[in-house]
Amino acid sequence: MDNKGPVQKTVVLEPFIKLVRLLARAFYDDYTTKSDNQPRTARSDNRGIAVVVLDELTRKQWVREEDLAKELKLHAKQLRKIIRHFEEQNLIMRDHRKETAKGAKMYSVAVAATTGGRAEDKVKFHTHSYCCLNYPQIYDIVRYKLHRMKKKLKDELEDRNTVQEYGCPNCQRKYNALDALRLISMEDDAFHCENCNSELVVECNKLTSEEVADGDDNARKRRREKLRDMLQKMEVQIKPLMDQINRVKDLPVPDFGSLIAWEARAAIAARENGELNPNDPLRSQGGYGSTPMPFLGETKVEVNLGEGKEDVKSNGGDSSLKVLPPWMIKQGMNLTEEQRGEMRQEAKVDVGSSKLSDDKKSAMEGGDEKDLLKDEYFKAYYAALIQQQQELAQKQREEETGGEVGAPDNELASTSPNRQVGMKSKREEEEDVEWEEEAPPVAVGGNGNYKVDLNVEAEASGGEEEEEEDIDWEEG
Amino acid sequence: MFFHIVLERNMQLHPRFFGRNLRENLVSKLMKDVEGTCSGRHGFVVAITGIESVGKGLIRDGTAFVTFPVKYQCVVFRPFKGEILEAVVTLVNKMGFFAEAGPVQIFVSKHLIPDDMEFQAGDMPNYTTSDGSVKIQKECEVRLKIIGTRVDATEIFCVGTIKDDFLGVINDPAAAA
């Protein structure tokens, strides 16, 4: 499962939104859905509508087109036309699918996760279209558009790469330079019409074809003047757009992925945020362990647990990626415990250690404002817990030192070897330095603490020798 | 651009060429037939470099000719848009000039010649810069860029430009002489 997390967290969307807004105003502000032959009254004049649509899309990620139409108070047909136009321009990704209740639910969950709001609930089972701005593509499209514009004007200005056209003044037949071989006549140097054999004249090019210039210098000069003017004007007008492109150049591009990927990601994000979402389809599928999805979630929890330990060891790499809300671990571990009924003791140990590591972890990254409150609570809770356990351990140690060494009737002591083994192996894994830091409270208190913990479980197993070792170590 | 490709052709051979030298006859006839021709698809066939295979001959009904399917390797020349070529000027007139790059003819119209070159009519029509340092006339060599091609079934014609960096006259035998 890719755990990239919601895109907007790592990628700054703002410059791209600005880019889109500039783009809309530069190129689409006179876009109209009306065809040209219809009379344009003031009322039906809907120029600028494309800008409105694009602006609205910058505020969304994937959006159902019906919802969009409703929000913009546009007719769905009209909106579809505009959207199709943008799709042709490669600015927008679209997805059509036949909606089932589940699909609609997925979408509404995703919307709820990304916007915090709630999507419309009553959905009919129709084919629905979704659209989304395709930011990576938009960046390229804008650059390409500008490049083409400039190149066209420049080429025109320098007469470059244009195949010269010729026209017959008599019969209006048109030729171009590719016909040159057939047109050249042997008598004089000029080109002659194949039809009427009259001399052909040079036609001037497309952008400024008002007057048919006969290639004389004045007309040519005027035309060049005009083109240069145009180029300059364009440079000035697209300057903000160019600036924005340059600003955006080195930024990571926000990419929402396909509709399905986006929905899945949003759902995961929602669950990670701890929002108890009754609409969550992954969750409402049944009890934990019965369906593959929660099971997947569980395995992820275990993996993250290991990473969490590493995290503690390395003392703060990028912990942001590995943040796991405590409730999740708890659930996962509960699940494990239930699953392996006979290995309850081990599971419990794991819970304890995971709690510990989690505690450290949460202490390390206190900056997470979302879980701050929760963290505070847990910190207080764990602190209290540890204190209590330490007290218990103290008491127990007193008992131990006071009474017989390794008394078999003492349940605390008999359970201790297990813990001891666990602790030892853990200590081997971890770096010595780390242990040094934590050593005084944990080595003593922690040891006792788990005895107590296991004592509650009241499950005893373990060899006498290990017990002896344990005590030796404690004493020496 | 040049390509080395394998083409196939059905060769018809008269029975009088049959015998010990059948293959040699076949190949020499193929060379005579194919080299220098132009197809719109592959361009000009410059030279045959080898025979891949000669298939089984088939006697034609009604004639004594035998048809052999022959696969042969050859070098073809196909001009492309945007390609830079060196060509020899063959004709200069007030509309521009024609040049040849091997088998292909290229026309450079007046507006694709740098603006500072003026047409000079006369015994030897040419385009000359105002200071007379560069002169385009018959027989001189130019480097040009192809900006358009017309590909017919049997001929290829190109339109070129010398209005770009590093294009123009590269060698003028008339001036050197």
Side-chain angles (χ1 to χ4, degrees):
Chain A
M1 208 182 283
D2 73 328
N3 198 12
K4 279 181 211 156
V7 172
Q8 64 270 28
K9 267 189 187 168
T10 50
V11 176
V12 194
L13 200 53
E14 207 48 53
F16 288 90
I17 288 178
K18 195 175 175 205
L19 178 68
V20 172
R21 291 167 65 94
L22 282 169
L23 169 77
R25 278 150 189 80
F27 295 121
Y28 300 103
D29 64 340
D30 59 348
Y31 170 80
T32 169
T33 49
K34 292 268 183 295
S35 54
D36 285 338
N37 51 18
Q38 276 173 305
R40 190 176 289 149
T41 63
R43 222 174 142 254
S44 70
D45 186 8
N46 57 6
R47 273 178 297 176
I49 192 71
V51 178
V52 174
V53 173
L54 274 182
D55 276 8
E56 184 62 23
L57 278 171
T58 60
R59 289 177 211 119
K60 313 260 185 210
Q61 297 183 1
W62 278 94
V63 62
R64 190 185 295 137
E65 283 168 24
E66 281 171 25
D67 295 349
L68 192 63
K70 217 174 282 173
E71 269 164 42
L72 294 173
K73 308 247 185 306
L74 271 177
H75 200 271
K77 255 186 190 167
Q78 212 178 353
L79 180 72
R80 205 149 45 229
K81 204 167 175 184
I82 297 167
I83 295 224
R84 198 160 49 232
H85 177 70
F86 285 135
E87 191 188 13
E88 277 163 15
Q89 306 264 316
N90 286 324
L91 299 181
I92 279 179
M93 292 182 277
R94 286 181 95 190
D95 199 350
H96 314 277
R97 65 175 183 204
K98 223 167 202 157
E99 208 82 311
T100 60
K102 190 185 151 213
K105 224 174 204 176
M106 287 273 275
Y107 171 70
S108 52
V109 168
V111 164
T114 48
T115 63
R118 278 185 58 80
E120 294 272 309
D121 262 336
K122 38 186 193 291
V123 196
K124 287 172 207 153
F125 306 146
H126 287 152
T127 303
H128 288 292
S129 305
Y130 297 82
C131 58
C132 178
L133 287 175
N134 191 352
Y135 286 104
Q137 188 119 282
I138 283 172
Y139 171 60
D140 291 336
I141 290 282
V142 176
R143 278 191 318 163
Y144 184 65
K145 238 180 164 70
L146 294 177
H147 171 75
R148 290 295 303 216
M149 272 170 69
K150 263 190 219 157
K151 187 166 167 11
K152 180 160 183 174
L153 273 178
K154 272 206 181 116
D155 283 355
E156 207 84 48
L157 190 62
E158 289 160 32
D159 288 329
R160 201 180 282 172
N161 295 355
T162 46
V163 175
Q164 183 68 55
E165 299 205 328
Y166 304 95
C168 173
N170 250 354
C171 58
Q172 312 304 326
R173 193 172 163 177
K174 300 275 185 276
Y175 299 93
N176 67 20
L178 289 166
D179 301 310
L181 211 54
R182 285 182 290 147
L183 303 175
I184 189 88
S185 77
M186 290 304 117
E187 295 100 62
D188 58 356
D189 285 339
F191 290 155
H192 285 262
C193 180
E194 284 178 320
N195 278 355
C196 49
N197 205 30
S198 55
E199 202 167 310
L200 300 180
V201 294
V202 175
E203 303 239 311
C204 78
N205 57 43
K206 291 138 270 170
L207 264 187
T208 47
S209 57
E210 295 94 75
E211 71 270 37
V212 177
D214 43 320
D216 95 348
D217 280 351
N218 253 349
R220 204 167 172 174
K221 217 168 267 172
R222 245 180 296 138
R223 204 186 65 219
R224 291 185 61 117
E225 210 92 308
K226 223 167 161 180
L227 281 167
R228 199 165 295 138
D229 222 40
M230 230 158 143
L231 198 64
Q232 268 168 3
K233 258 192 226 159
M234 192 187 83
E235 295 272 3
V236 171
Q237 283 168 3
I238 64 170
K239 179 104 197 324
L241 202 51
M242 287 305 288
D243 289 348
Q244 191 61 25
I245 284 179
N246 287 334
R247 211 165 300 148
V248 152
K249 193 168 61 187
D250 297 324
L251 296 176
V253 185
D255 189 358
F256 302 130
S258 70
L259 178 59
I260 293 168
W262 174 76
E263 275 179 351
R265 223 164 39 217
I268 289 163
R271 285 199 303 157
E272 278 183 353
N273 284 339
E275 293 167 23
L276 218 70
N277 201 334
N279 280 352
D280 194 331
L282 301 183
R283 190 175 275 218
S284 59
Q285 269 170 348
Y288 283 100
S290 66
T291 49
M293 279 313 279
F295 185 73
L296 244 176
E298 178 236 315
T299 42
K300 197 173 104 192
V301 166
E302 283 203 314
V303 166
N304 273 326
L305 182 65
E307 282 172 358
K309 274 181 192 165
E310 281 172 14
D311 207 5
V312 173
K313 194 199 321 176
S314 64
N315 219 350
D318 52 337
S319 57
S320 61
L321 275 176
K322 293 157 190 168
V323 175
L324 254 186
W327 63 266
M328 218 163 174
I329 292 177
K330 214 173 173 183
Q331 274 179 345
M333 294 326 292
N334 280 342
L335 177 64
T336 335
E337 198 178 332
E338 281 161 25
Q339 274 184 337
R340 329 172 188 154
E342 77 284 348
M343 296 161 74
R344 194 174 265 175
Q345 197 176 343
E346 273 184 30
K348 194 65 190 176
V349 168
D350 276 352
V351 170
S353 66
S354 74
K355 269 180 187 167
L356 251 185
S357 65
D358 193 54
D359 189 30
K360 285 173 199 164
K361 198 167 41 173
S362 59
M364 270 189 336
E365 48 114 49
D368 196 353
E369 66 278 338
K370 271 187 185 175
D371 292 326
L372 198 62
L373 211 65
K374 238 181 256 175
D375 281 352
E376 287 298 329
Y377 169 75
F378 276 113
K379 252 185 247 171
Y381 171 69
Y382 290 137
L385 197 68
I386 285 171
Q387 198 189 351
Q388 189 191 6
Q389 285 166 345
Q390 274 174 353
E391 278 170 17
L392 277 167
Q394 192 78 28
K395 210 168 71 185
Q396 178 210 330
R397 196 147 69 277
E398 280 169 18
E399 273 178 38
E400 269 183 62
T401 48
E404 286 183 352
V405 173
D409 61 339
N410 192 352
E411 278 182 338
L412 301 178
S414 64
T415 49
S416 68
N418 277 347
R419 185 58 234 156
Q420 173 63 25
V421 171
M423 287 305 281
K424 261 190 175 171
S425 64
K426 198 180 164 193
R427 199 166 46 134
E428 279 160 18
E429 275 170 29
E430 297 188 7
E431 283 175 348
D432 292 333
V433 186
E434 187 63 24
W435 264 104
E436 301 258 302
E437 280 177 32
E438 305 270 350
V442 178
V444 181
N447 207 5
N449 124 34
Y450 287 111
K451 281 173 191 167
V452 171
D453 213 7
L454 293 167
N455 189 24
V456 174
E457 290 291 320
E459 284 184 30
S461 68
E464 292 281 324
E465 301 137 21
E466 280 175 348
E467 198 182 310
E468 296 285 333
E469 274 180 27
D470 174 25
I471 290 151
D472 282 344
W473 177 67
E474 273 196 359
E475 282 175 343
Chain B
M1 208 175 293
F2 293 93
F3 297 94
H4 193 200
I5 56 171
V6 175
L7 292 178
E8 190 168 2
R9 186 180 170 89
N10 286 327
M11 292 296 302
Q12 294 205 22
L13 205 62
H14 195 271
R16 72 165 176 271
F17 297 114
F18 293 177
R20 232 175 23 186
N21 298 332
L22 191 147
R23 196 182 158 90
E24 284 74 47
N25 286 328
L26 202 62
V27 171
S28 64
K29 188 168 187 306
L30 179 73
M31 285 183 167
K32 217 168 74 188
D33 283 3
V34 167
E35 284 183 354
T37 62
C38 170
S39 78
R41 188 179 157 81
H42 298 108
F44 297 93
V45 177
V46 178
I48 292 172
T49 56
I51 306 295
E52 288 262 302
S53 68
V54 179
K56 284 207 170 83
L58 203 71
I59 302 172
R60 311 285 295 181
D61 287 342
T63 66
F65 281 92
V66 172
T67 305
F68 293 94
V70 183
K71 274 191 181 161
Y72 57 97
Q73 302 160 343
C74 60
V75 175
V76 293
F77 172 60
R78 171 84 159 75
F80 287 96
K81 206 167 153 178
E83 190 177 346
I84 309 285
L85 285 180
E86 285 165 17
V88 179
V89 175
T90 54
L91 177 72
V92 179
N93 65 21
K94 69 175 185 203
M95 310 302 272
F97 67 84
F98 288 84
E100 277 180 3
V104 70
Q105 293 232 42
I106 302 147
F107 174 62
V108 179
S109 70
K110 186 177 187 309
H111 81 291
L112 293 175
I113 297 170
D115 291 330
D116 60 340
M117 298 190 90
E118 289 286 330
F119 178 67
Q120 316 283 331
D123 196 22
M124 194 77 163
N126 59 70
Y127 284 90
T128 317
T129 53
S130 49
D131 61 355
S133 60
V134 182
K135 190 182 259 184
I136 295 174
Q137 57 189 353
K138 199 166 183 276
E139 301 296 331
C140 81
E141 292 168 21
V142 290
R143 182 172 292 139
L144 48 81
K145 185 168 87 175
I146 293 172
I147 58 163
T149 58
R150 155 173 300 216
V151 179
D152 296 332
T154 55
E155 70 169 359
I156 297 178
F157 182 70
C158 299
V159 175
T161 178
I162 55 168
K163 210 180 196 179
D164 212 336
D165 298 337
F166 307 108
L167 299 182
V169 177
I170 48 174
N171 182 26
D172 190 356

